[in-house]
Amino acid sequence: VGISTAGIVDSESGTIVAGIENIPFLESLNLKAFLEENTGMPVRVLNDVRAAALGEKWMGAGQDCDTFFCMTIGTGIGGCLMMNSKIFEGAHFRAGEIGYLDYRNENQYLEKRSSAKGLLDTAKEEFGEDISSRSFFERVRQEDEHPCSVFNHWVEKIARAIATVVILFDPQKIIVGGGITEQGSLLLNAIRRKTAEYLPNGFAEQCPIELAGCKNGAGMVGYYGSFDTEQEA
């Protein structure tokens, strides 16, 4: 049984340690032990972005890289550094948690306003009405001034976060995944242009930004492959 989940995951014990605000009942649960006891089968639990990074290394945009950073944008924002073809988890399984950048308090950090959900929440506030993701991006493509302004401001926040990662870790590539990748070249071109503005000469040219080759299914691919690779793709 392979589990790809939100949250900070102790991948050794299978416990979901923290960072599970969207599914709070899972916090502190040893999901691996619970499922092994109830299924009698081997279980592996991974943070969803780590699973996505494994999927991209195995079958996606990271196949040609030993060191890259995978960032997913959806209900939240997550990140994983793949270093020398292994996921780097850090001393407390918290490495790569890019969504917590610009942390001010529990209600103010990058993920809150700059996830795909945060983008739509901002649009709803600005327009004074509910708006679907499809409708919002259709209006951006039509160059509607107000949606474009909201979108450009959002891209700026994402680009600053990516530029920080590039400067700190010098990866071969940045891979952007999650549900928002459905927007294709509109999203990718905007992020590439803006990120380049926040990097010193030479940095952007050496670190291309690409969309996940496995798209929003990268995590499903990754946890499947992880049983054979033992975190090495």
Side-chain angles (χ1 to χ4, degrees), residues 6 22 72-78 111-112 114-118 121 178-180:
N22 294 321
T72 59
I73 306 172
T75 305
I77 295 178
E111 179 180 279
K112 288 292 187 179
S114 298
S115 62
K117 179 181 181 299
D121 287 345
I180 205 164

Side-chain angles (χ1 to χ4, degrees), residues 20 43-44 60-61 69 85 89 93 132 167 202 205 211 214:
I20 199 74
V43 174
R44 183 158 191 186
F69 190 85
S85 296
E89 297 188 284
F93 305 100
S132 68
I167 291 169
E205 293 82 358
L211 296 182
C214 299

Side-chain angles (χ1 to χ4, degrees), residues 32-62:
K32 174 180 169 66
F34 175 82
L35 290 174
E36 286 184 339
E37 180 180 345
N38 284 275
T39 66
M41 299 174 68
V43 174
R44 183 158 191 186
V45 183
L46 284 176
N47 165 271
D48 52 0
V49 190
R50 305 209 195 308
L54 284 172
E56 288 300 303
K57 174 60 181 170
W58 182 30
M59 298 183 67

Side-chain angles (χ1 to χ4, degrees), residues 110 114 150-162 190-191 194-195 197-198:
L110 180 69
S114 298
V150 172
F151 176 66
N152 290 335
H153 182 68
W154 174 84
V155 168
E156 182 176 321
K157 295 290 185 65
I158 296 297
R160 285 187 181 276
I162 292 175
I191 289 176
K194 187 56 68 172
T195 302
E197 293 180 16
Y198 298 134

